[in-house]
């Protein structure tokens, strides 16, 4: 918490101050001042364009994220538990991990056209291998002693999933979630820039064409702020809540040894 407060109340204001000084010294449209960017942000918000394009991009991010996490988690867990499936799919994962996102986006647009389905599919395929690799490691690390305990107490498959697997897999799920959110919104912007007529990426493309740096920064900072709010308001509290049992167990073990 202290580190977060330090970043918010000390580091970020210093960066904004440095930005303002540089903009004043250089006095060029290529580096607009924070006030100029804020004015652009207010103008776009007043017209409703900012909210509309942010909403479109967030919808694409949310849909792509949910699909990539679902398919990637299923594939990764299956590969971690089944050696033959891991051997079969590992070369494909390596290929997709090393395939540039830009190449895949262009290929899907060429094959399927500049349609929404191609845009979403490009983002999902880019992210699924990362999720699968992370969850595969989590599935490999499942404690066999807990499996034995679950069988001894007659746990059903559902009970085993919720009470044995998910608590152990949660750190890996959170790692895939955080990394996935950061990666997916960047890929979504590229997808929008190349082949969509709305969204933040499309607005960045328009701003680039006329060298509107203030517009570039305004839309970029607005979306970064939303992603940070999701991280601070949703992901971090969820992680603290879900890993509370680990801290409680460590504290309990320490008290027993003490």
């Amino acid at each position: 918490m202290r580190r977060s407060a330090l970043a918010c109340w000390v580091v970020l204001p210093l960066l904004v101050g440095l930005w303002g000084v540089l903009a004043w010294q250089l006095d060029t449209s290529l580096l607009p001042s924070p006030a100029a960017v804020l004015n652009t942000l207010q103008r776009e918000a007043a017209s409703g364009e900012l909210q509309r394009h942010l909403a479109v991009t967030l919808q694409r991010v949310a849909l792509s994220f949910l699909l990539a996490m679902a398919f990637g988690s299923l594939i990764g867990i299956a590969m971690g538990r089944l050696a033959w499936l891991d051997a079969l799919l590992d070369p494909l994962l390596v290929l997709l991990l090393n395939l540039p996102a830009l190449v895949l986006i262009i290929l899907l647009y060429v094959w399927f056209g500049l349609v929404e389905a191609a845009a979403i599919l490009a983002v999902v395929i880019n992210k699924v291998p990362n999720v699968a690799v992370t969850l595969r490691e989590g599935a490999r690390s499942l404690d066999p002693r807990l499996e034995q305990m679950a069988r001894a107490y007659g746990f059903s498959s559902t009970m085993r999933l919720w009470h044995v697997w998910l608590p152990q897999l949660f750190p890996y799920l959170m790692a895939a979630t955080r990394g996935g959110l950061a990666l997916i919104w960047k890929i979504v912007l590229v997808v929008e820039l190349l082949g969509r007529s709305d969204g933040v990426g499309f607005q960045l493309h328009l701003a680039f064409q006329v060298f509107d740096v203030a517009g570039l920064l305004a839309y970029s900072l607005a979306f970064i702020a939303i992603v940070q709010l999701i991280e601070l308001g949703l992901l971090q509290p969820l992680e603290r809540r879900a890993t509370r049992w680990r801290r409680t167990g460590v504290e309990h073990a320490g008290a027993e040894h003490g």
Side-chain angles (χ1 to χ4, degrees), residues 133-204:
V133 168
T134 303
L135 268 295
R136 178 177 61 180
E137 295 306 312
R140 287 173 175 174
S141 68
L142 293 176
D143 191 341
R145 293 171 298 180
L146 293 178
E147 286 287 321
Q148 294 172 2
M149 179 200 70
R151 285 195 295 269
Y153 282 95
F155 278 24
S156 65
S157 299
T158 303
M159 292 175 63
R160 188 176 302 175
L161 173 65
W162 284 102
H163 299 292
V164 179
W165 285 23
L166 283 182
Q168 297 180 80
L169 290 173
F170 190 81
Y172 299 91
L173 284 168
M174 286 305 303
T177 297
R178 283 183 164 178
L181 185 62
L183 178 63
I184 281 177
W185 81 261
K186 295 172 185 175
I187 299 176
V188 166
L189 294 188
V190 177
V191 166
E192 291 177 342
L193 187 148
L194 290 176
R196 308 309 299 143
S197 59
D198 51 15
V200 174
F202 173 71
Q203 288 299 103
L204 295 180

